[in-house]
Amino acid sequence: QADEAGERVMDSEDQERERGITILAKNLAVMRDGVKINIMDTPGHADFGGEVERVLNMCDGVLLVVDSVEGPKPQTRFVLDKALKQDMKVVVVVNKIDRPAARPDYVVDKVFDLMMELGASDEQIDFTTVYASGLNGISGMEPDDMQEDMKPLFDAIRDCVDAPNVKSTEPEDLQCLISNIDYDNFKGKMGIARITQGTIKAGQPVALARPDSPKKTGKLTSLFIFDNLGKKEVQA
């Protein structure tokens, strides 16, 4: 899948690749040591703020990716502010650490200053920092002690981001918020949601509730989960 996607795995739209930016939020899921980690790539620019606000409701924490030379950019403030206001924990990723002009200490200090300006809590300010080069596939907890894979980054996600808290797993208690829409040539529109309570399975009766319209009932015809860079149909 990665080979087919090319250089920019998550920026799959033609306009995104042409402009070198993220416009639409994307999902992927990876398994690490028996733990499934769902990752969302969100736009970093304020022009696409609505996309960011919607998908943040599906997240438990954030990876703040900053350049090892430039540090936080103006658009970084917008996205980080949204995450901090939702009381999310932050893992800072100093990317492109292999650049000759990299200044990791300066960048981390700038991130700290930005979080202070945005009113981050004491727990949020005590963030974990991972140094990485996405292009070379290396990462590490210190800029001069890098490993030849992304294990330190995945370990930081597992250790620093709290696991989802689900109060009930009974099917009748099902609650989920649809935060994004996908499209399939055979299935049509598909809702992308995070289950906050209960369990779900294909064929299950469900109800769609909207603030400004009557509740609609129906049956869940197909159920998918994210699997690596694609989706996989499941029964439950």
Side-chain angles (χ1 to χ4, degrees):
Q1 289 179 324
D3 292 338
E4 293 176 2
E7 291 183 7
R8 297 188 184 92
V9 172
M10 301 295 278
D11 294 336
S12 55
E13 301 293 326
D14 292 339
Q15 191 175 11
E16 292 177 318
R17 294 189 172 185
E18 180 182 340
R19 298 174 61 184
I21 60 174
T22 301
I23 298 175
L24 301 174
K26 313 291 192 314
N27 298 67
L28 68 81
V30 294
M31 293 293 298
R32 298 289 298 189
D33 301 324
V35 177
K36 185 174 185 178
I37 302 175
N38 290 288
I39 300 173
M40 301 190 68
D41 181 25
T42 66
H45 202 281
D47 289 349
F48 310 111
E51 190 84 0
V52 175
E53 291 183 88
R54 284 201 310 273
V55 300
L56 276 179
N57 293 318
M58 300 175 66
C59 302
D60 295 295
V62 295
L63 296 178
L64 182 66
V65 183
V66 292
D67 188 281
S68 65
V69 178
E70 299 175 1
K73 295 183 178 181
Q75 59 264 33
T76 307
R77 171 185 290 268
F78 172 81
V79 180
L80 180 59
D81 185 43
K82 297 293 182 183
L84 294 177
K85 285 180 178 177
Q86 294 200 26
D87 200 31
M88 292 185 177
K89 291 183 179 179
V90 179
V91 177
V92 176
V93 181
V94 181
N95 194 29
K96 302 179 183 178
I97 195 64
D98 56 314
R99 294 179 64 178
R103 43 181 182 172
D105 292 339
Y106 167 84
V107 169
V108 172
D109 288 343
K110 284 297 182 181
V111 172
F112 181 86
D113 294 342
L114 177 59
M115 294 183 74
M116 289 286 289
E117 291 176 23
L118 296 175
S121 66
D122 292 343
E123 187 178 20
Q124 290 171 325
I125 289 176
D126 187 24
F127 55 82
T128 296
T129 303
V130 181
Y131 304 90
S133 170
L135 184 64
N136 296 316
I138 59 175
S139 63
M141 304 308 294
E142 298 292 338
D144 55 356
D145 184 21
M146 307 294 290
Q147 295 189 26
E148 296 300 318
D149 55 24
M150 287 293 172
K151 185 178 185 301
L153 177 57
F154 285 114
D155 288 347
I157 295 172
R158 184 191 59 199
D159 296 340
C160 301
V161 178
D162 294 331
N165 182 22
V166 179
K167 295 180 180 179
S168 171
T169 57
E170 297 299 322
E172 59 269 19
D173 293 331
L174 174 65
Q175 289 184 352
C176 65
L177 177 65
I178 296 178
S179 300
N180 219 340
I181 298 292
D182 197 4
Y183 185 82
D184 183 89
N185 290 331
F186 300 100
K187 303 285 186 182
K189 284 186 178 180
M190 303 169 63
I192 300 177
R194 170 180 174 170
I195 297 174
T196 55
Q197 190 166 286
T199 54
I200 193 169
K201 63 181 180 180
Q204 178 176 332
V206 293
L208 175 63
R210 294 177 176 174
D212 54 351
S213 60
K215 183 185 297 183
K216 291 183 178 181
T217 59
K219 185 174 70 172
L220 196 71
T221 56
S222 301
L223 181 64
F224 293 83
I225 60 172
F226 286 103
D227 181 49
N228 294 323
L229 298 175
K231 295 186 291 287
K232 180 173 67 174
E233 188 166 8
V234 294
Q235 293 302 308

